[in-house]
Amino acid sequence: MSDGLFEKGAITGIGETAYTRGSGKSDTALQMEASLKAIADAGLSPKDIDGVVPYASGSTVAEDFITNLGLPDLRYSATTPLGGASCVAGIQAAVSAVATGLANHVLIPIGRNGYSGSRIGNRVQQMPQFRTIGEYEMPLGTLAPAQLYSHMARRHMELYGTKSEHFAKIAMNGRKHAAMNDNALRQAPMSLDDHQTSRMIADPLRLFDCCLESDGGAAVIVSASERAKDMVRKPAYIMGVAEGHPDSPSAITQRPDITTLGTAKAAPRAFGMAGITHSDIDVAEIYDCFTYIVLCQLEDLGFCKKGEGGDFVSSTSFGFDGDLPLNTHGGLLSQAHIVGMNHVVELVKQLRGDAGAAQVKGARIGLVTGYGDMGDGTVAIMRS
Amino acid sequence: MGEQGTMEIERLYPLPNPDSQPYWDGLRDRRLMLQQCADCGSIRHYPRPVCDQCYSMEVHWIEASRRGTVHSWSVSHHAFHPSFKADLPTTFVTVDLEENVRLVGILRDPEVTLSIGTALQVGFEDAADGAFSIPVLFAA
Ligand SMILES: [Zn+2]
């Protein structure tokens, strides 16, 4: 396996706004606030930023960062339109840019009013990745990710005996960690009974299987590794990074195996590039738009075999002090929906030893995933 | 605004183009039409311009059997647009058609107990405002 981008880049700065429901700020303001925090965290000036990867499904373009931050010479820009897999795909693009010398410090910002902002659906059919289901499935009333993804979950349950209680354990784990995090929206404890009695949204997915809708921004800086070693923060070196697209990427229902995500293609590439095995992972921040999607990724990442996700979830402790510390910030389910950039930021904090109450003791190597647009999967493996 | 995960989404209507018009016309005429590659004979769905088996762009349309079996399903208890509220709970079924492609339809037969492999047949109905027609499903 090619070592490709192995340790060619590192995350050198992180920034987050407050995560709220009602920011009172524009999407652009949220992105700029997070970007300025990340640049300051890296010990850089905006004048040092020479690359930017804006969120492809968002409201800004590279030009907005030149205008607002006064970037004197932006040399590299790209977008990675993979929905919730975009942030980690953005890391892949950024490392490619710093590895080849196209740029030195690449800013990856995200920010949106996912709760208080305007409705998201009116653009769906104009977005090429949703054109197919927008034409053939959504007119029937199966509009939302919860509805579309529940077909995957139901088939997994029927084929492999996976239970709603397995999903509950993932939701409860996120909530436990959110309660330890000052910048998390959901702090009240969640019991198994709370999960099992939460409102059914799209059977088998209940309300507590679904992520939050929230307002906020987050950003990271990816720098060339030879620069990172002299910067103010302990770098999070990117050992492996990859993206994968499932067969029939635009329509889940036409996919040969609807229980397998693009993650299954990305994971061997990311682990191969990093040159490590699953037992080397000290902490995992796994994209959790829905509880089932976490269980499915655990399989597709290779932590267990396809179909064994239920048993694996039952037999593994996911707390910050457990067998496989998982979503130590609370995730999209209980911290906030910042499109997975909050997962990237949390992994960097863990590798710096800066993760507060939910710090995983001695965390040295960690994994972060993205997932989106009906099945795209991204994986990054980092070390301190 | 919704609570967690329940934000309202715009109602969507089909926007037929030359690749998909025969499919929508077929549903209106109570016929389930599928694309077949005119060169290698592969049947494909959803409609699109190229055969991914032989890369031919020549296509003809066949009328499908309307017979299939359950691949998976989902029961919506929340309408993500008000126009679907009256229809709750709504069972959406992914069906493996005999033609070896899949189709999503709304189950309209309360007697059916769903499990993988349950035999179903495709029927048709007009969408609430009559703007287009959709596939619905009954016991075979
Ligand atoms: Zn062909």
Side-chain angles (χ1 to χ4, degrees):
Chain A
M1 190 100 34
S2 158
D3 64 358
L5 299 171
F6 175 76
E7 296 194 3
K8 295 288 202 310
I11 294 185
T12 54
I14 55 176
E16 294 175 289
T17 69
Y19 297 152
T20 66
R21 307 190 90 180
S23 70
K25 297 171 182 172
S26 68
D27 287 13
T28 305
L30 290 169
Q31 293 182 30
M32 296 305 160
E33 181 184 334
S35 296
L36 286 166
K37 284 181 169 170
I39 293 165
D41 180 66
L44 296 172
S45 152
K47 293 186 171 48
D48 299 314
I49 300 300
D50 54 5
V52 63
V53 182
Y55 180 45
S57 305
S59 55
T60 59
V61 290
E63 284 80 352
D64 291 310
F65 295 86
I66 299 173
T67 304
N68 281 277
L69 304 180
L71 308 182
D73 189 12
L74 188 75
R75 298 194 286 158
Y76 176 81
S77 67
T79 56
T80 51
L82 285 78
S86 297
C87 293
V88 174
I91 293 173
Q92 180 178 248
V95 179
S96 304
V98 298
T100 50
L102 291 175
N104 294 314
H105 303 289
V106 180
L107 168 67
I108 313 175
I110 196 155
R112 60 176 196 169
N113 289 297
Y115 178 73
S116 63
S118 61
R119 291 190 294 182
I120 52 176
N122 51 2
R123 292 173 292 118
V124 165
Q125 265 162 319
Q126 277 72 55
M127 295 163 73
Q129 64 269 46
F130 296 130
R131 193 181 58 236
T132 301
I133 54 172
E135 176 77 8
Y136 300 106
E137 297 184 6
M138 296 170 100
L140 277 64
T142 179
L143 304 166
Q147 294 174 296
L148 299 161
Y149 294 170
S150 51
H151 292 250
M152 305 178 182
R154 172 55 64 193
R155 183 153 174 101
H156 200 283
M157 294 167 90
E158 295 294 309
L159 289 180
Y160 304 121
T162 314
K163 303 255 183 287
S164 177
E165 287 79 1
H166 298 130
F167 304 159
K169 183 171 176 182
I170 291 163
M172 291 159 65
N173 176 69
R175 184 61 61 87
K176 193 184 89 176
H177 288 140
M180 303 169 74
N181 182 345
D182 293 338
N183 195 18
L185 285 168
R186 287 276 188 274
Q187 306 258 345
M190 184 196 295
S191 67
L192 176 60
D193 194 52
D194 292 335
H195 177 276
Q196 293 291 296
T197 57
S198 68
R199 195 156 70 84
M200 193 63 88
I201 301 297
D203 192 351
L205 300 177
R206 296 179 174 279
L207 186 65
F208 285 177
D209 292 309
C210 304
C211 56
L212 299 168
E213 287 154 357
S214 36
D215 299 350
V220 300
I221 310 293
V222 172
S223 304
S225 288
E226 66 267 24
R227 289 173 187 271
K229 63 184 194 297
D230 300 321
M231 289 168 66
V232 294
R233 294 291 190 175
K234 185 158 84 172
Y237 291 102
I238 296 145
M239 304 174 75
V241 61
E243 74 178 61
H245 300 261
D247 301 329
S248 183
S250 301
I252 293 162
T253 50
Q254 302 297 332
R255 192 167 296 161
D257 176 4
I258 68 170
T259 67
T260 295
L261 309 172
T263 314
K265 296 183 184 180
R269 289 197 279 272
F271 276 93
M273 192 185 292
I276 62 153
T277 63
H278 295 75
S279 59
D280 295 317
I281 300 291
D282 299 317
V283 55
E285 313 297 354
I286 296 185
Y287 195 90
D288 56 336
C289 49
F290 297 93
T291 51
Y292 165 75
I293 296 296
V294 176
L295 184 147
C296 190
Q297 286 176 91
L298 288 167
E299 295 174 341
D300 289 344
L301 287 164
F303 285 100
C304 58
K305 291 201 180 82
K306 182 54 65 187
E308 294 177 357
D311 286 343
F312 181 78
V313 165
S314 287
S315 62
T316 305
S317 56
F318 293 118
F320 69 96
D321 52 357
D323 309 325
L324 178 64
L326 173 73
N327 294 354
T328 44
H329 53 330
L332 307 182
L333 289 164
S334 281
Q335 187 199 24
H337 194 325
I338 313 298
V339 202
M341 191 61 92
N342 47 329
H343 294 55
V344 177
V345 167
E346 173 68 9
L347 178 57
V348 174
K349 286 182 184 173
Q350 288 284 351
L351 297 176
R352 288 177 178 179
D354 266 352
Q359 176 66 46
V360 174
K361 214 173 155 195
R364 209 184 76 76
I365 296 179
L367 170 150
V368 60
T369 72
Y371 165 81
D373 279 2
M374 305 297 132
D376 297 339
T378 45
V379 183
I381 297 167
M382 304 184 205
R383 71 159 178 90
S384 61
Chain B
M1 281 316 117
E3 33 189 336
Q4 168 160 346
T6 57
M7 182 179 284
E8 187 175 299
I9 295 173
E10 204 79 6
R11 172 129 193 220
L12 294 181
Y13 292 89
L15 300 169
N17 61 37
D19 297 325
S20 66
Q21 189 75 53
Y23 174 72
W24 291 110
D25 290 348
L27 292 178
R28 199 186 51 228
D29 299 340
R30 279 34 187 166
R31 301 167 75 201
L32 178 61
M33 303 302 291
L34 297 173
Q35 284 182 315
Q36 182 173 39
C37 174
D39 283 305
C40 77
S42 296
I43 295 170
R44 63 181 187 259
H45 200 53
Y46 296 118
R48 52 186 181 266
V50 183
C51 171
D52 68 352
Q53 299 300 304
C54 77
Y55 321 118
S56 167
M57 296 184 75
E58 298 302 317
V59 68
H60 55 236
W61 288 81
I62 59 162
E63 184 170 358
S65 66
R66 301 197 283 119
R67 286 188 298 271
T69 57
V70 173
H71 189 81
S72 193
W73 70 95
S74 162
V75 185
S76 286
H77 293 261
H78 180 89
F80 287 81
H81 185 276
S83 64
F84 299 111
K85 235 173 215 162
D87 209 21
L88 295 178
T90 313
T91 302
F92 296 98
V93 184
T94 303
V95 175
D96 288 306
L97 293 177
E98 270 189 9
E99 288 76 11
N100 207 26
V101 297
R102 299 204 193 110
L103 173 129
V104 176
I106 298 175
L107 185 68
R108 288 297 189 218
D109 190 337
E111 303 301 309
V112 173
T113 305
L114 292 171
S115 62
I116 291 175
T118 302
L120 295 176
Q121 61 175 326
V122 179
F124 308 93
E125 71 180 32
D126 293 332
D129 51 11
F132 58 101
S133 303
I134 61 170
V136 291
L137 299 160
F138 300 91

